Amino acid sequence: MIDSIAHWDEQLFLFLNQIHASWLDPVMLLITGKYIWIPFYIFLLFLLIREYKKDSIWYILGLILVILLADQFTSGFMKPFFERLRPCHDPRWQGMILNYSGCGGLYGFASSHAANTFGLAAYFQKVGGKKIPNFSWLFLWAAIVSYTRIYLGVHYPGDVLVGALVGILSGWLIYWLISNLKAIWVAHKSKNRISNL
């Protein structure tokens, strides 16, 4: 069963990776980059601070925890544990696939790009709630960034899908944790205020 899934995943990768255009290669490389998104991340932080004022420190802490959890779980645990070669490191695909960006680390399961972007999307959707305009569009952004990894030949679709699931679960888990810690903190402060009266 596992072998069949891996085979389908590889065949889907080969199909998707062949769908490319030379003018799109540098665009995909730009989208997959980390530093290009810094102004975007600053804007998201601005929205948090504007809406939540002093309480935004809780949600910024949560954001840091989401990225740490998603990134470390995929890079620090899953990649060395499963040891699945990135397609660009697999000798079977040499000369067959587009690999415009270089290959990166040896192993690719699961995608940290997908985990981080989907973690951020899931977390912001929860944090935004009814206070900030719907953040569901962040899932489209995360999907586009994640797809660049297949286009550039550094991840299989399965790597991206599992990375996305790790990210979403990380976002939800950290939101739940931060919400509960914040509630406990507020209740503790209220109790102390009442006892000091």
Side-chain angles (χ1 to χ4, degrees), residues 42-134:
I42 292 171
F43 174 68
L44 292 177
L45 286 175
F46 164 75
L47 291 179
L48 273 184
I49 294 167
R50 185 188 67 180
E51 189 59 45
Y52 288 103
K53 310 291 190 291
K54 289 182 181 178
D55 281 345
S56 64
I57 191 71
W58 288 98
Y59 299 113
I60 293 169
L61 172 63
L63 185 59
I64 293 167
L65 292 176
V66 168
I67 300 303
L68 278 174
L69 177 60
D71 191 69
Q72 288 305 305
F73 191 75
T74 51
S75 291
F77 170 69
M78 294 184 77
K79 286 175 182 174
F81 181 81
F82 290 103
E83 295 186 340
R84 185 187 196 192
L85 290 175
R86 291 179 186 268
C88 49
H89 281 305
D90 193 322
R92 293 176 299 166
W93 315 134
Q94 297 306 310
M96 292 176 58
I97 65 171
L98 170 75
N99 177 229
Y100 183 77
S101 62
C103 206
L106 190 61
Y107 303 123
F109 184 80
S111 167
S112 298
H113 269 72
N116 292 339
T117 53
F118 274 94
L120 189 147
Y123 181 74
F124 266 97
Q125 186 188 37
K126 289 288 190 182
V127 168
K130 295 177 182 177
K131 284 183 169 271
I132 303 175
N134 196 320

